[in-house]
Amino acid sequence: MWYFDAPEIIYGEGALSELEQIKGSRAFIVTDPVLHKLGFTEKVAEHLRNAGMEVASFTEVEPEPSLQTVQKGAEQMRGFQPDVIVGLGGGSSIDAAKAMWVLYERPDLQPDEISPMIELNIGQKAKLIAIPTTAGTGSEATWATVLTDKTDGRKLALGSRETMPTTAIVDPEMSKDMPPRLTADTGLDALTHAVEGYLSSFHNDFTDGICLKAIQLVFEYLPRAYAEPHDMEAREHMANAATLGGLGFINSWASLAHAMGHAFGGQFHIPHGRCVSLFLPYTLEYIAKEPELTRFRDIAHALRLPEGNADEPAAAKAVIAAIRDLHRRLGQPLTVAELGLSREEYEAKLDDLVEFAEGDGTFISAVRIPEREDIEKLFLYAYDGREIDF
Ligand SMILES: [Zn+2]
């Protein structure tokens, strides 16, 4: 037996105003300084006040939120005693809100103790509403929380099934002003969730359809949202694709591109979506070497590629080529060198990259689990874009 976890999902244009139907008396918004300056906190606070709530906020979440930031926010929450917590932003703010929710209700815990192995028993004091302002991380529909330990740059993939948001409000209006680069980075993160979720060794009947649909939506609508930010049809489908990607991977698990991307992003401070999507084609080539373990034909079918009717190796090749082509259309780097890192600074970190990737929680779901030597080669091949031949 296993579980399928999901929040209540309120979606579509105008979904934000449904905040006024939320029951509560004290709401605490968690967001980042950029969104706060752009007026997002106030926009959300207005709806909460209309619902009769008193509102406070913590607006200091940084990209790759640290354990220290989470402690600070939780402390402020304990002072305010909210019964509604709102995570507003990209993955960083929503992830930080999840961890703060735990520490608010469980002051006896440290943030890095949040794991599926212990019963948290949260939700007694507050519920968590997640409102994404990007279309990619899917954090609104997952219980995963990625925090960074600033002392060594290690990314910690934390979370517990109890940290799933109570409600996700997926309103395309919230992401329509994202600049094209952020649209591409986050949209390709959604694609990586869906592709890895479909090919994970923990895939199941409940996630398969969700992942394939998310893949189709990203291929169809991400180039449109990138080219024309106010194409609301594209924004709406991308917002939905991101939430579907979140549901897909949290219930089947992300895989090697996330393990490598987490390790790499923690060392070089490059946005999450850009990191994981950069490694995706390489990790797919790697698992495609064992075609009896993969299901690329289904993805090729979903994308209406003629190789959907070919054998598995040919389908894998076509799907990986389509993913690389999508990257190029979005002006996205396909090699580590294209990110502007010198080979010397990259190779100097190689041991840490390998160690952190191997220790990442997403590593175990790979249908072909690499030995240490292979992980090192995967990182090296991704530097200058060599085809995986091992
Ligand atoms: Zn991701």
Side-chain angles (χ1 to χ4, degrees):
M1 54 81 47
W2 203 241
Y3 307 89
F4 183 89
D5 293 308
E8 171 191 36
I9 298 169
I10 305 171
Y11 62 93
E13 271 189 84
L16 189 69
S17 60
E18 283 301 295
L19 273 176
E20 300 188 10
Q21 308 306 320
I22 303 270
K23 305 262 177 291
S25 58
R26 299 171 74 78
F28 191 96
I29 303 170
V30 177
T31 192
D32 68 57
V34 178
L35 289 172
H36 180 62
K37 217 179 256 171
L38 290 170
F40 280 76
T41 319
E42 185 44 38
K43 202 170 176 173
V44 167
E46 199 183 321
H47 287 298
L48 294 167
R49 284 194 292 264
N50 288 344
M53 287 185 236
E54 199 175 319
V55 182
S57 59
F58 177 85
T59 62
E60 297 170 37
V61 179
E62 72 275 44
E64 304 167 38
S66 66
L67 302 177
Q68 294 77 5
T69 298
V70 163
Q71 295 274 27
K72 192 173 171 191
E75 206 169 293
Q76 291 189 15
M77 257 180 213
R78 285 195 285 271
F80 183 72
Q81 291 290 312
D83 53 5
V84 174
I85 297 165
V86 178
L88 168 69
S92 300
S93 292
I94 298 175
D95 282 10
K98 289 173 190 169
M100 288 176 196
W101 182 27
V102 176
L103 301 185
Y104 163 53
E105 298 204 22
R106 290 288 307 269
D108 56 309
L109 294 178
Q110 293 297 316
D112 57 358
E113 289 177 298
I114 303 169
S115 92
M117 309 310 285
I118 60 165
E119 196 179 322
L120 299 173
N121 204 22
I122 55 169
Q124 312 296 319
K125 293 173 103 175
K127 55 189 159 195
L128 175 64
I129 315 292
I131 308 176
T133 58
T134 61
T137 70
S139 182
E140 68 279 8
T142 82
W143 46 259
T145 305
V146 180
L147 300 177
T148 299
D149 186 344
K150 291 278 188 261
T151 55
D152 61 0
R154 185 192 287 257
K155 287 212 169 184
L156 305 163
L158 306 169
S160 141
R161 291 181 50 239
E162 292 180 62
T163 55
M164 176 65 85
T166 320
T167 300
I169 296 184
V170 185
D171 188 332
E173 189 65 29
M174 301 300 277
S175 57
K176 79 173 195 315
D177 293 322
M178 268 197 296
R181 181 57 35 227
L182 186 59
T183 300
D185 280 339
T186 51
L188 288 171
D189 187 24
L191 178 70
T192 307
H193 295 154
V195 170
E196 294 207 290
Y198 192 76
L199 296 169
S200 156
S201 57
F202 303 147
H203 71 82
N204 56 75
D205 290 349
F206 292 89
T207 55
D208 279 353
I210 288 174
C211 290
L212 289 178
K213 185 65 194 174
I215 294 169
Q216 282 177 336
L217 289 173
V218 171
F219 268 87
E220 187 165 353
Y221 294 104
L222 180 55
R224 277 175 55 178
Y226 174 76
E228 178 40 71
H230 289 170
D231 178 340
M232 287 312 289
E233 189 190 4
R235 287 291 191 199
E236 180 162 357
H237 285 298
M238 276 309 299
N240 295 345
T243 304
L244 290 171
L247 284 176
F249 93 80
I250 199 63
N251 289 290
S252 65
W253 223 222
S255 193
L256 293 179
H258 269 79
M260 294 177 68
H262 283 153
F264 179 73
Q267 293 300 313
F268 295 103
H269 310 292
I270 291 164
H272 171 80
R274 202 174 305 166
C275 298
V276 297
S277 64
L278 186 146
F279 291 113
L280 182 66
Y282 303 98
T283 59
L284 295 182
E285 282 177 348
Y286 182 74
I287 62 169
K289 298 283 177 211
E290 294 192 12
E292 67 285 2
L293 301 177
T294 60
R295 304 185 299 159
F296 283 101
R297 264 194 306 193
D298 296 345
I299 300 177
H301 260 299
L303 294 176
R304 298 187 188 89
L305 300 173
E307 288 83 356
N309 296 318
D311 60 10
E312 185 62 14
K317 225 177 184 154
V319 167
I320 296 164
I323 291 172
R324 285 209 163 97
D325 180 57
L326 180 64
H327 276 72
R328 280 188 207 99
R329 284 155 67 199
L330 301 171
Q332 202 74 356
L334 279 162
T335 67
V336 174
E338 284 171 41
L339 287 168
L341 285 185
S342 76
R343 189 184 288 275
E344 292 68 36
E345 62 180 321
Y346 184 60
E347 290 187 2
K349 295 272 190 184
L350 198 56
D351 284 346
D352 283 347
L353 292 176
V354 172
E355 188 194 327
F356 291 168
E358 212 171 13
D360 194 87
T362 58
F363 191 74
I364 46 158
S365 69
V367 289
R368 181 184 176 205
I369 294 185
E371 297 291 331
R372 207 182 165 80
E373 187 192 333
D374 280 1
I375 309 171
E376 192 174 306
K377 278 165 86 178
L378 279 163
F379 274 116
L380 289 172
Y381 275 48
Y383 183 82
D384 38 23
R386 265 183 288 164
E387 192 184 328
I388 302 301
D389 55 6
F390 54 92

